[in-house]
Amino acid sequence: MASANIADMYTTIYLGRQPIVDVQQQRVAYELLFRSGPENRALFQDDVNATASVIRHTFIDLGMSRVLEGCPGFINVNERLLKSPVLDLLPPESIILEILESVPLDDSVRERCRELQARGYRLALDDVSDVTPEIQAMLPLVSYLKIDLQQVSLARLPVLLQRLQGYRGQLLAEKVDSYEQFERCRELGIRLFQGYFFAKPTIMQQNRAHPHRALMLRLLGLVMQDAELLELEEVFKGAPDMVVSLLKLVNAAENYGRPVRSIREALTMLGSSRLKRWALVILFAADCRPDSGPSPLLEMAAVRGRMMELLAPPAERDEAFMTGILSLADSLLGMSMQSLVASLSLRDKVLQALLYREGMLGDLLAQTELAECREAQAPLPTLAADNFNQVQLEALEWVRKMWSDDFLT
């Protein structure tokens, strides 16, 4: 396949993260930052879209464990996102909501902060350079104050800290660019630091297949309309990339810790409320191309899943479908299968099939892969070659129907 065609199949997503360190210069947290490309800068016009992209990349595309490495993460929120139900997707034990300096600290914002605080979220105020009455009123609600050293000189810093006496949260000096700044802040009792003196933001990146735009919009529409579970499941089956996203969300949302057997079970575990918030994140962060079709890999994954579903015994059909569509997810995401399955909650027999082609599901997957290469010389013992080919044609027809404009309208 030509490189130009490969480029057309993928979007490369980028996420910046900058460490936050303690007085021993040991990493204790990350700030997660929007990045539009491999350059270490953010180019965007809509900060809602930027933050939604950070949330999506952290919890869906890259995975929370890979991004945060056991540390909490600071995520910037403007007023619209602060008041949005999207925040309910974020685990309060892992995410700190950093309120941007553009947010008006009025009664409605303080009330929302009280709600979030009561539910276990920790809040931070960004770019503090003075103690205004509005900031004073916020002090009981925020766990962190980020003091901007580009706006507060070292000479004025003691005066600012004097006005903050009695504050029970943690002070964080940001934009620390020199040893002199670090040492002076430490002498004055500041215990958290962030800036180029310690580390510039690093860029994480990963390939993501272009989604099928019409199918994605159909799926999100059903989620927002409280569609029946069976209808949602049927549309998810035509969207392998969305299934991977769904499984990652289930894994991160409540740390369920038990394997997921089917798409239906994953939908049930996540619940209608979280599905709607996931839909909002996808809509805010959407980057699909209106005039392009789906990735050929997406089509192959959907066909493979449907074939395995049709060929499997009735009791194994859900897991057969899951195995089929996930068998190409490593190529769709540009990562190893070992890394991918580590981020998903899957049953052992699905893992064995995906990693080693073992067990009944592994045998079925191997046969399906051979059929794609037109090399199925030894079809399953219970299935004649002609019937195997017929199943493949039925699966292709099913996927094309799922992706047709008639089905999606």
Side-chain angles (χ1 to χ4, degrees), residues 159-191:
V159 177
L160 176 62
L161 297 182
Q162 179 68 29
R163 298 185 64 189
L164 290 170
Q165 279 195 344
Y167 171 59
R168 296 185 178 182
Q170 298 191 65
L171 300 176
L172 190 162
E174 62 176 337
K175 301 174 185 172
V176 180
D177 294 335
S178 68
Y179 178 78
E180 178 190 10
Q181 289 176 317
F182 168 58
E183 187 62 24
R184 182 57 177 150
C185 288
R186 186 167 62 173
E187 289 172 354
L188 292 171
I190 295 175
R191 291 293 175 263

Side-chain angles (χ1 to χ4, degrees), residues 69-296:
E69 298 179 346
C71 294
F74 285 67
I75 289 183
N76 295 327
V77 293
N78 69 354
E79 182 181 11
R80 183 178 172 193
L81 273 173
L82 183 69
K83 297 178 179 179
S84 166
V86 163
L87 296 186
D88 293 344
L89 273 177
L90 307 180
E93 68 278 3
S94 301
I95 294 298
I96 296 157
L97 305 174
E98 184 172 330
I99 302 171
L100 295 172
E101 68 278 8
S102 59
V103 175
L105 303 179
D106 55 21
D107 290 343
S108 66
V109 165
R110 286 194 293 274
E111 181 57 33
R112 174 60 168 161
C113 289
R114 289 188 193 97
E115 293 173 4
L116 292 167
Q117 186 187 56
R119 287 162 47 199
Y121 287 97
R122 291 165 290 172
L123 307 172
L125 275 186
D126 190 28
D127 285 352
V128 174
S129 59
D130 196 4
V131 185
T132 63
E134 292 79 13
I135 288 179
Q136 189 74 43
M138 288 289 295
L139 294 183
L141 302 173
V142 296
S143 301
Y144 302 87
L145 288 180
K146 299 187 72 174
I147 298 172
D148 185 349
L149 294 190
Q150 288 189 356
Q151 299 184 54
V152 181
S153 67
L154 294 183
R156 194 165 68 86
L157 188 56
V159 177
L160 176 62
L161 297 182
Q162 179 68 29
R163 298 185 64 189
L164 290 170
Q165 279 195 344
Y167 171 59
R168 296 185 178 182
Q170 298 191 65
L171 300 176
L172 190 162
E174 62 176 337
K175 301 174 185 172
V176 180
D177 294 335
S178 68
Y179 178 78
E180 178 190 10
Q181 289 176 317
F182 168 58
E183 187 62 24
R184 182 57 177 150
C185 288
R186 186 167 62 173
E187 289 172 354
L188 292 171
I190 295 175
R191 291 293 175 263
L192 295 175
F193 308 89
Q194 179 182 359
Y196 282 10
F197 174 68
F198 309 101
K200 293 183 179 181
T202 57
I203 307 298
M204 305 180 74
Q205 68 182 69
Q206 182 165 302
N207 289 333
R208 182 177 72 214
H210 293 314
H212 188 293
R213 184 174 186 268
L215 190 65
M216 187 189 80
L217 293 176
R218 169 68 171 164
L219 185 55
L220 299 184
L222 288 173
V223 169
M224 300 307 290
Q225 294 165 19
D226 287 320
E228 293 294 328
L229 189 61
L230 289 177
E231 189 176 8
L232 277 173
E233 180 187 26
E234 188 68 12
V235 180
F236 260 102
K237 284 183 174 181
D241 51 335
M242 293 292 188
V243 173
V244 175
S245 299
L246 176 69
L247 294 175
K248 286 186 176 181
L249 277 177
V250 168
N251 199 40
E254 300 288 352
N255 296 314
Y256 285 102
R258 64 183 179 89
V260 178
R261 181 176 180 272
S262 66
I263 294 172
R264 189 181 315 158
E265 185 177 359
L267 291 168
T268 302
M269 290 167 71
L270 197 61
S272 174
S273 179
R274 287 189 181 277
L275 274 173
K276 287 182 179 179
R277 284 149 179 74
W278 168 80
L280 288 174
V281 169
I282 298 298
L283 286 171
F284 280 142
D287 61 356
C288 52
R289 302 178 179 183
D291 299 324
S292 66
S295 156

Side-chain angles (χ1 to χ4, degrees), residues 12 42 195 213 344 359 406:
T12 302
R213 184 174 186 268
L344 307 176
D406 291 340

